[in-house]
Amino acid sequence: MAAQRGEGDGVVTRPGETGTEAPADVRERARAIPEAAVARLAVYLRVLSGMVEQGVTTISSEELAGAAGVNSAKLRKDLSYIGSYGTRGVGYDVEVLVSHIERILGLTRKHSVAVVGIGNLGHALANYGGFPSRGFPVAALFDIDPDLTGVPVGGIPVNHIDDITTVCAEREVSIGVIATPPQAAQAVCDRLVSAGVQCILNFAPVVLQVPDYVEVRKVDLAVEMQILSFHVARRADEAAGDVVNGIGVDGVVIRP
Amino acid sequence: MAAQRGEGDGVVTRPGETGTEAPADVRERARAIPEAAVARLAVYLRVLSGMVEQGVTTISSEELAGAAGVNSAKLRKDLSYIGSYGTRGVGYDVEVLVSHIERILGLTRKHSVAVVGIGNLGHALANYGGFPSRGFPVAALFDIDPDLTGVPVGGIPVNHIDDITTVCAEREVSIGVIATPPQAAQAVCDRLVSAGVQCILNFAPVVLQVPDYVEVRKVDLAVEMQILSFHVARRADEAAGDVVNGIGVDGVVIRP
DNA sequence: TTCTGTGAATGCGTTCACAGCC
DNA sequence: GGCTGTGAACGCATTCACAGAA
């Protein structure tokens, strides 16, 4: 399989296409895109951005799919949700695709981010270069520790969490990132919500209770580890159990 | 995610192979649990652990579902995948449930973890208390920076990435965590794989190419943010566009 | 009666396979 | 010939709804 060396972050070149609001047909489409496809579009976008930097101008569904780790039928289906921007017999124009995906993902607007909880993870997030360069400027940091208040992290001074509501409203934060200990997460979440934040990325291992109109995405390390653990166990069991179809041996199981 | 599930096969399970391994019926079940359910089981487990600490001994599907943020039918279905451990008319015994979920998730074994890339995120991971306490001892740390080599982080000395293969094999690492910059990720991944690591948690924004028998889970901050961005955009569009069903107004859109 | 456990029905996402255009 | 775009088929996951145990 062609090992496209996927470049990571990079400046997204956005041709023309200034801050227009979405026209009716885009609006229509966005409604219909499956959640799973949205996640993949973001991946395609990154791969494509890497292509732009390498000077690639055209790409086939097969190539792009390979680089993104999906099969080509799925890729074409995903792209078809956002419109028909390919050329039969040829492939897709990389820049065209980039700009359309960006538009669908709403990346033509800036989305200010607030990070709450400036521990190890919060530091990592505040310093994460991938955010600002991709249209997600970190506009505010919060922590409960008064000693941190005012100290700049990644160039932004830390505020006290008591000020979440006012500061977030002031700076028009649209995405809140919760990187606090679990005990604090729900309270922080409530404050974010009352500041008008409608999208939350939650790193705390808690199930947040929010109003219906708030979108929460969870990143749960323990859960990820446990899913992996499950697979380890399943494999060990399969190996220990009977050989079913064409299964390898000596610890390395082939074909689940 | 490359794992395909094999389909209907008359799997013959043999009793009593290696003594400490899961018994035949557990093995049988594990094979059949949908991936999505596995992720939720991990969540139920955490909620239940909290219950144990609070001294709760029995819980109904309704309560547990509420605490885990799912509906009760789904919860019961998920639990049914691992067996029938409830009491009709009463509910589930919390401790019984905990131990069965732990068994299914393979948490009765230790899974040694190696973290590669000791930047901000790597530090956060190395210090993350949730790992060791839940059966995921961090057994090794790696970085490319020679200045870091030998320096202990979270109590564990950092090794140079050139030693990944030997050290991981030595310490029987079963889960590798990649927290490097994107450019380094694939090379690191290859080394982990050649050290026998079959499960990888990848924080680098790259699509890793791995053999089929390796399980990769990806945590991609940029993708998460972009999914949220999509929702912000969709909402703004809905608000700007027509009122479709029973959608609220004045900036607060109801029903995602 | 209460609440679990589960077949059956439904919905969603993925894959297939080919029509349509270059 | 090559490659996209997409209806149709398929399989997996969720939800329904009720039978059955305490």
Side-chain angles (χ1 to χ4, degrees):
Chain A
M1 191 132 302
Q4 293 286 5
R5 204 163 43 76
E7 290 254 311
D9 308 87
V11 181
V12 180
T13 46
R14 189 180 303 130
E17 189 84 318
T18 43
T20 67
E21 294 313 317
D25 65 318
V26 171
R27 210 182 290 154
E28 188 69 17
R29 288 216 148 89
R31 203 185 308 273
I33 305 178
E35 182 87 10
V38 172
R40 287 190 299 266
L41 284 170
V43 175
Y44 305 153
L45 179 59
R46 181 168 46 235
V47 174
L48 288 167
S49 304
M51 298 288 173
V52 169
E53 279 169 27
Q54 288 174 34
V56 178
T57 59
T58 295
I59 193 168
S60 72
S61 65
E62 201 72 49
E63 291 172 293
L64 180 50
V70 302
N71 70 49
S72 65
K74 192 186 281 184
L75 176 116
R76 287 200 303 278
K77 183 63 115 183
D78 288 344
L79 292 183
S80 81
Y81 292 128
I82 68 174
S84 304
Y85 303 114
T87 308
R88 292 169 197 236
V90 179
Y92 300 89
D93 181 285
V94 175
E95 295 209 12
V96 168
L97 221 43
V98 165
S99 77
H100 283 293
I101 296 177
E102 284 182 341
R103 191 159 44 92
I104 288 286
L105 293 181
L107 302 180
T108 49
R109 308 171 194 191
K110 292 276 173 231
H111 300 276
S112 295
V113 174
V115 178
V116 189
I118 311 301
N120 276 306
L121 179 57
H123 264 89
L125 295 169
N127 290 314
Y128 182 49
F131 285 172
S133 71
R134 288 208 160 273
F136 297 98
V138 178
L141 303 176
F142 300 95
D143 201 285
I144 202 172
D145 183 351
D147 291 349
L148 275 175
T149 307
V151 177
V153 173
I156 299 129
V158 176
N159 288 293
H160 192 270
I161 54 169
D162 286 344
D163 300 328
I164 285 179
T165 314
T166 52
V167 174
C168 283
E170 233 175 67
R171 304 189 192 167
E172 294 181 323
V173 166
S174 56
I175 299 179
V177 178
I178 298 179
T180 65
Q183 306 80 25
Q186 183 63 56
V188 163
C189 175
D190 294 342
R191 292 193 185 186
L192 287 170
V193 169
S194 69
V197 175
Q198 288 185 30
C199 291
I200 290 176
L201 183 55
N202 179 32
F203 286 89
V206 200
V207 179
L208 295 175
Q209 308 290 341
V210 294
D212 286 356
Y213 62 85
V214 175
E215 180 80 21
V216 177
R217 296 201 51 97
K218 206 178 62 173
V219 175
D220 191 321
L221 300 186
V223 168
E224 295 297 331
M225 300 296 276
Q226 289 173 11
I227 294 170
L228 289 174
S229 165
F230 171 80
H231 288 289
V232 175
R234 193 165 54 88
R235 266 164 214 192
D237 290 345
E238 271 173 6
D242 208 353
V243 172
V244 189
N245 272 324
I247 300 205
V249 277
D250 56 53
V252 179
V253 182
I254 319 285
R255 298 221 152 244
Chain B
M1 250 171 281
Q4 293 283 60
R5 172 131 344 106
E7 88 236 25
D9 42 42
V11 180
V12 184
T13 46
R14 294 220 177 129
E17 318 287 351
T18 43
T20 59
E21 301 309 323
D25 64 319
V26 171
R27 210 183 288 154
E28 184 74 13
R29 288 217 148 91
R31 202 186 308 274
I33 304 178
E35 182 87 11
V38 172
R40 287 190 299 266
L41 284 171
V43 174
Y44 306 152
L45 178 58
R46 181 168 47 234
V47 173
L48 287 166
S49 303
M51 297 289 173
V52 169
E53 279 168 28
Q54 287 173 38
V56 179
T57 59
T58 295
I59 193 168
S60 72
S61 64
E62 202 72 49
E63 293 171 291
L64 180 50
V70 302
N71 71 50
S72 65
K74 192 186 281 184
L75 175 117
R76 288 200 302 278
K77 184 61 116 185
D78 287 344
L79 292 183
S80 81
Y81 292 128
I82 68 173
S84 304
Y85 303 114
T87 308
R88 294 172 196 234
V90 179
Y92 300 89
D93 180 285
V94 175
E95 296 208 11
V96 168
L97 220 43
V98 165
S99 77
H100 283 293
I101 295 177
E102 283 181 341
R103 192 159 44 90
I104 289 286
L105 293 182
L107 303 179
T108 50
R109 308 170 194 190
K110 294 277 173 233
H111 300 276
S112 296
V113 175
V115 178
V116 188
I118 311 301
N120 277 305
L121 180 56
H123 263 90
L125 295 168
N127 290 314
Y128 182 47
F131 285 172
S133 71
R134 289 214 153 272
F136 297 99
V138 178
L141 303 176
F142 300 96
D143 200 285
I144 201 171
D145 183 352
D147 292 348
L148 275 175
T149 308
V151 176
V153 174
I156 300 129
V158 177
N159 288 294
H160 192 269
I161 54 169
D162 286 343
D163 301 327
I164 286 179
T165 313
T166 52
V167 174
C168 283
E170 233 176 67
R171 303 190 193 167
E172 294 180 322
V173 166
S174 55
I175 298 179
V177 178
I178 298 179
T180 64
Q183 306 80 24
Q186 182 63 56
V188 163
C189 174
D190 293 343
R191 292 192 185 187
L192 287 169
V193 170
S194 70
V197 174
Q198 288 185 30
C199 291
I200 289 176
L201 183 54
N202 178 32
F203 286 89
V206 199
V207 179
L208 295 175
Q209 308 290 341
V210 294
D212 286 354
Y213 62 84
V214 174
E215 180 79 20
V216 176
R217 296 201 52 95
K218 204 179 64 172
V219 174
D220 190 323
L221 300 186
V223 169
E224 295 297 331
M225 300 296 277
Q226 290 174 11
I227 294 170
L228 289 174
S229 165
F230 171 79
H231 288 289
V232 175
R234 193 165 54 88
R235 268 167 211 189
D237 291 345
E238 271 173 6
D242 209 355
V243 172
V244 189
N245 272 325
I247 300 207
V249 277
D250 56 53
V252 178
V253 183
I254 320 287
R255 296 213 154 252

